[in-house]
Amino acid sequence: MILSELSVKDVVNNEDGIKLGRIVDVDIDVASGRILSVTIDRGFRLSSLFSSKNQTVIPWSRIVKIGNDVIIVDLTRL
């Protein structure tokens, strides 16, 4: 899988099944090449292009499963 494929998948909370948004950024540890976290946009609005208040950072360790259409995350312990 390539990183650009992550951005077209919906991010869904495992606990309640609610769609959280889509990935707009990825934080990578340059030394190890590992993904540390993803940033999701919780709703597309013109103002969200210029503001980070609709964005949420999710640690990579909270990703439960990456499927064909969705990414399931566990946000119960954040």
Side-chain angles (χ1 to χ4, degrees):
M1 175 176 297
I2 57 177
L3 285 175
S4 63
E5 291 176 353
L6 292 177
S7 67
V8 297
K9 298 176 187 290
D10 292 326
V11 178
V12 176
N13 189 359
N14 188 39
E15 181 179 14
D16 53 17
I18 292 177
K19 177 183 167 185
L20 301 174
R22 291 209 171 159
I23 294 176
V24 293
D25 201 4
V26 178
D27 184 22
I28 299 174
D29 180 344
V30 180
S32 68
R34 293 181 182 258
I35 298 174
L36 301 175
S37 64
V38 296
T39 302
I40 61 166
D41 191 358
R42 295 180 70 84
F44 184 78
R45 294 182 192 88
L46 186 57
S47 62
S48 69
L49 292 174
F50 307 105
S51 171
S52 62
K53 64 182 171 183
N54 289 328
Q55 295 181 346
T56 302
V57 176
I58 300 174
W60 187 256
S61 61
R62 300 287 188 208
I63 294 180
V64 176
K65 174 108 175 143
I66 299 175
N68 291 332
D69 299 318
V70 297
I71 298 170
I72 300 172
V73 297
D74 178 11
L75 297 184
T76 57
R77 298 172 294 170
L78 281 180

